[in-house]
Amino acid sequence: MSTETAASTSDAPTTPVGKTADYLDQRTSIGVAVKEFARKVFPDHWSFMLGEMALFSFVVLLISGVFLAMFFDPSMALVEYHGNGPEAMHGQLMSTAFASTLDLSFEVRGGLLMRQIHHWSALIFMASIVVHMMRVFFTGAFRKPREINWLVGTVLMILGLAAGFSGYSLPDDVLSGNGLRITDGVVKSIPVIGSYMSYFIFGGEFPGEHIIPRLFTVHILLVPALILALIGVHLFLMVLHKHTQYPGGGRTDKNVVGYPLFPVYIAKMGGNFFIVFGILALMGGTMAINNVWNYGPYDPSPVSAGAQPDWYMLFLEGSLRLMPGHLTEWVIFGYTLSWNILVPAVIIPGLLFTFLFAYPFVEAKVTGDKREHHVLDRPRNVPARTGLGVAFLTAFIILALAGSNDLIATHFALSINEITWVFRVLFFVGPVFAYWVTKRICLGLQRKDRELVLHGHETGRIVRFANGEYIEVHRPLDEQERWLRVNYDAHAPLEIEPATDARGVKRPGYRSEKRWQKLSRFFYEDRVEPVTPAELAAAHSHGEHDEIAHSDSPAEVTTGADNVEREH
C-alpha cells in the first residue's frame, strides 16, 4: 500500500495548470474526450477555412454586440435631440432608439468603432456562410451521411438573415424604417391571416410602439441562442461523420488524410481567428458604414430614393421591384389578394429555400446511390448539379442587381423602366442560359480529361518517321493525376420495371417511378464515362510511338530511318 501511495504521489502534477487539469479529469473524465478530440485528423485545404471564417465572424459579432447592448436603448418614445451629434440632428423629434444610436456613435468612447465592426462582421458572416454553402454544394459534401448537417447549415443561413434584418432595423432611421414598412406590406399580403399577423408583430397599426423593443429581444437573445445551438449541432455532426476531403492519392471513403487537431489545426485556427478579427477591426476603423445621421430619424410619411438594404437582402428588394403591379391585385370574397407582393416576397424566396432544403434528397433519389460519401466530387464530374448551382446563383445575382435598378439608372444615365424590363427578361432567361453553358463546359472538361488520360499532355515535340509520318509526342500522366481524372461515378438514369407485371396487371407506383426516371434523365442523360483500364491499355499500345513518348527530350523536329535520334 505504501509503495502504491508513493508511486502515485511521485506521478502527481506539480504545476498549477497540471493540478487543475488533474482535478477536472478525476471528477469529469474529461481527459479521455480531450485526448480523443485532439487526435482527430482534419484534411488540409484552404476552402475548409470558409466555415471557420463564418464562425470567427460570429464570435466578433457576439463580442461587439455585447458592448453595443450596454449603451443602446430600444425604445420608441419620442424625444427632442440635443446631444453631441451632427448639427442637422439638433432639435429634431426622434425615437429614443435613434437618439441612443447617435449617442453611441458620438459620445461613447469607441462606440462608433464597435458599431462599424459589428456591421462589417455581419456582412462577412453572411458572405462566409454563402460561400461555404457553395463549396459544400458544388463538391457534393451534402451527400449521405451529411444531409442533416446540410439542413442545419441552411437553417443557420436563414437565421443569419433574421439576425441581420432585426439588427439593421434597430436604429430606427429612414432606411431601416423603410425596410420595416416593406415587411409590414409583405406580412399583410398573406391571404386571410396577413392583417392579423401584422397587428401581432407590430402591436397595432404600423409602426406602433413595440416593434423596436421586440426586434431588440429577437436580435440579442432569441436568434443568437438558436445560432449558437445550431453551430454546436453543426460541429458535433462534422466530428461525428469525420471531415470530407478532396480526391487525391491515398484518400478514400474509409480514411482522412491530413493533420491532427492538436497542435497543427489549433495553431491554424488561432491564426485564422486573429486574421479575421484584425481585418474586421481594420475595416471598422477605416471604412464608414451605416451612418444613420445622414438619413435622419424614421418618418412614416416620406419614402427616400436610393434606399438599399444590406447585400444579403437585396435579392428580396429586387424581386419586389421586378414584379409588375398592373392587374395583380384581386378582391375575392372581400379579401384582397396582392400578387404583386405575395409572389416576389413570399413565393419566390420560398421556392429558393425549398430548392436548398430538398436538393440533397432529390439527388439521392434520382441517383439511386445509398452509399456513404466522404471524398468530394470534382464539380466538372457532376454537370447537372454544377449547372443548377450556377443557375441558382445567377437568379440571386440578377435579383440583387434589380434591387439597385434606381442607382444603375442614375449612375449610367439609363432609363429605369428599360433596366427593369431587361432584368425581368434576364430573371427567366439568365438561369436557363447559365445552366446550359455551365453543363456544356463541365462535359467539355470531362472530355478533355478523357483525352489527357488516353494520350497524355502535349509537349510541343514533333517527330517525323522514315515513312514521312509526323506525330506530336505526348507526356503520359503520372499515377496520381490519372487516378484523379478517372476515379468518379458517371451515374446512368434510373431503370424501372415495366408498367405491368408478368400477368398483365398494372404495377402500383409505376407513375411515380416514371416521374423520377424522367428527372433522373434530366440529371444523367448527358454524361461522359471515365476511361476504363481496357481503353487505357489500348490507347498506350502503339509500339514505336510509345518508345518516343517515354523520352524526355525538349520540343524538336527530328527525322530518322529505323529509329529516332534523341537530341540531348
Side-chain angles (χ1 to χ4, degrees):
M1 179 66 69
S2 60
T3 304
E4 294 178 358
T5 304
S8 61
T9 303
S10 62
D11 294 338
T14 57
T15 63
V17 175
K19 291 180 179 179
T20 302
D22 183 65
Y23 179 89
L24 293 174
D25 185 41
Q26 291 185 24
R27 288 156 179 80
T28 63
S29 298
I30 195 174
V32 178
V34 171
K35 182 179 179 181
E36 181 66 26
F37 193 69
R39 295 169 60 187
K40 194 76 174 177
V41 175
F42 290 88
D44 188 33
H45 194 272
W46 66 267
S47 65
F48 297 146
M49 297 294 176
L50 295 170
E52 292 183 12
M53 287 180 61
L55 175 62
F56 299 150
S57 300
F58 183 69
V59 172
V60 177
L61 277 170
L62 292 179
I63 295 172
S64 56
V66 169
F67 178 91
L68 297 176
M70 293 179 179
F71 300 97
F72 181 73
D73 186 357
S75 171
M76 297 186 72
L78 296 179
V79 296
E80 190 174 308
Y81 183 72
H82 295 286
N84 294 329
E87 289 292 334
M89 295 291 102
H90 285 208
Q92 285 200 32
L93 196 64
M94 59 185 64
S95 66
T96 302
F98 187 83
S100 174
T101 304
L102 293 179
D103 293 339
L104 187 58
S105 302
F106 294 101
E107 298 185 18
V108 177
R109 181 169 296 180
L112 181 58
L113 174 65
M114 282 296 182
R115 276 194 62 230
Q116 297 188 158
I117 289 177
H118 192 73
H119 203 127
W120 282 117
S121 300
L123 299 183
I124 299 299
F125 174 64
M126 287 306 303
S128 301
I129 289 180
V130 171
V131 179
H132 176 62
M133 292 190 67
M134 288 168 54
R135 196 275 302 174
V136 172
F137 181 86
F138 286 117
T139 59
F142 55 79
R143 294 173 296 170
K144 183 181 178 180
R146 296 177 179 83
E147 300 96 333
I148 295 177
N149 219 6
W150 169 263
L151 299 181
V152 171
T154 306
V155 174
L156 276 172
M157 183 180 68
I158 296 174
L159 289 174
L161 295 175
F165 174 77
S166 59
Y168 179 82
S169 303
L170 291 180
D172 199 28
D173 60 312
V174 170
L175 287 182
S176 64
N178 286 336
L180 286 175
R181 174 80 266 188
I182 294 173
T183 302
D184 178 54
V186 171
V187 173
K188 287 181 176 177
S189 71
I190 300 175
V192 182
I193 63 173
S195 58
Y196 301 101
M197 291 181 62
S198 175
Y199 269 67
F200 174 76
I201 293 172
F202 291 93
E205 189 61 53
F206 178 87
E209 298 179 353
H210 307 288
I211 186 61
I212 298 299
R214 290 177 179 179
L215 287 177
F216 184 71
T217 303
V218 169
H219 184 68
I220 72 166
L221 181 62
L222 180 60
V223 174
L226 292 174
I227 290 177
L228 280 173
L230 288 181
I231 286 176
V233 174
H234 194 68
L235 295 177
F236 170 76
L237 291 175
M238 183 195 70
V239 174
L240 179 65
H241 296 145
K242 74 184 180 181
H243 206 293
T244 55
Q245 56 187 341
Y246 285 98
R251 300 171 184 177
T252 68
D253 287 329
K254 298 181 180 180
N255 68 358
V256 178
V257 178
Y259 299 98
L261 178 68
F262 185 85
V264 178
Y265 249 85
I266 287 293
K268 286 190 174 185
M269 291 175 65
N272 192 21
F273 170 75
F274 287 111
I275 290 174
V276 171
F277 185 87
I279 291 176
L280 289 173
L282 181 65
M283 294 174 69
T286 59
M287 303 169 67
I289 189 171
N290 199 27
N291 297 329
V292 295
W293 51 89
N294 290 335
Y295 314 121
Y298 179 60
D299 183 352
S301 56
V303 176
S304 64
Q308 300 225 299
D310 287 331
W311 71 267
Y312 48 83
M313 297 297 293
L314 264 178
F315 79 100
L316 185 59
E317 176 81 10
S319 181
L320 285 165
R321 294 188 184 191
L322 292 186
M323 183 68 185
H326 184 59
L327 301 178
T328 55
E329 285 194 0
W330 300 354
V331 179
I332 303 175
F333 301 114
Y335 291 95
T336 301
L337 189 59
S338 302
W339 291 109
N340 56 337
I341 300 177
L342 187 65
V343 171
V346 179
I347 296 178
I348 290 180
L351 292 175
L352 294 179
F353 288 120
T354 300
F355 172 83
L356 293 177
F357 278 112
Y359 185 84
F361 306 97
V362 173
E363 184 177 295
K365 181 70 174 180
V366 299
T367 304
D369 186 3
K370 299 181 180 180
R371 299 171 300 162
E372 289 192 2
H373 294 275
H374 303 287
V375 177
L376 300 172
D377 287 327
R378 300 175 76 201
R380 67 179 63 182
N381 292 332
V382 196
R385 179 206 298 160
T386 305
L388 288 173
V390 173
F392 183 92
L393 291 175
T394 301
F396 179 86
I397 293 171
I398 290 172
L399 291 178
L401 290 174
S404 307
N405 61 351
D406 53 347
L407 296 181
I408 295 174
T410 56
H411 280 67
F412 296 98
L414 300 173
S415 168
I416 190 171
N417 292 326
E418 293 178 359
I419 292 173
T420 301
W421 273 106
V422 167
F423 281 131
R424 285 172 178 171
V425 174
L426 282 178
F427 178 72
F428 293 99
V429 176
V432 177
F433 182 73
Y435 171 82
W436 180 79
V437 170
T438 303
K439 185 176 180 180
R440 303 323 300 177
I441 291 175
C442 290
L443 292 172
L445 290 173
Q446 284 184 283
R447 294 188 181 97
K448 182 63 176 178
D449 283 345
R450 280 186 59 90
E451 180 183 347
L452 289 175
V453 171
L454 293 174
H455 305 293
H457 291 284
E458 297 179 358
T459 62
R461 180 184 173 216
I462 308 299
V463 173
R464 189 183 73 182
F465 289 96
N467 60 3
E469 177 188 4
Y470 284 89
I471 67 167
E472 179 183 3
V473 179
H474 288 71
R475 175 174 56 82
L477 278 62
D478 58 37
E479 293 295 331
Q480 293 285 349
E481 186 178 2
R482 182 183 299 119
W483 183 90
L484 181 65
R485 297 180 187 276
V486 302
N487 190 45
Y488 68 92
D489 296 322
H491 295 287
L494 293 175
E495 296 183 2
I496 61 176
E497 299 293 333
T500 58
D501 57 21
R503 297 174 295 176
V505 179
K506 289 185 178 180
R507 189 167 53 85
Y510 172 75
R511 291 185 177 180
S512 175
E513 293 179 2
K514 190 68 176 178
R515 287 192 294 267
W516 283 111
Q517 186 186 45
K518 290 181 179 179
L519 186 59
S520 181
R521 287 176 179 171
F522 167 79
F523 274 85
Y524 304 115
E525 188 73 30
D526 297 329
R527 63 188 185 279
V528 177
E529 299 287 346
V531 176
T532 63
E535 290 176 319
L536 186 62
H540 288 180
S541 58
H542 295 307
E544 189 175 8
H545 292 197
D546 293 337
E547 296 178 7
I548 299 172
H550 287 86
S551 66
D552 55 357
S553 304
E556 59 182 345
V557 179
T558 61
T559 63
D562 298 328
N563 53 33
V564 178
E565 180 182 356
R566 294 181 58 188
E567 180 177 318
H568 297 277

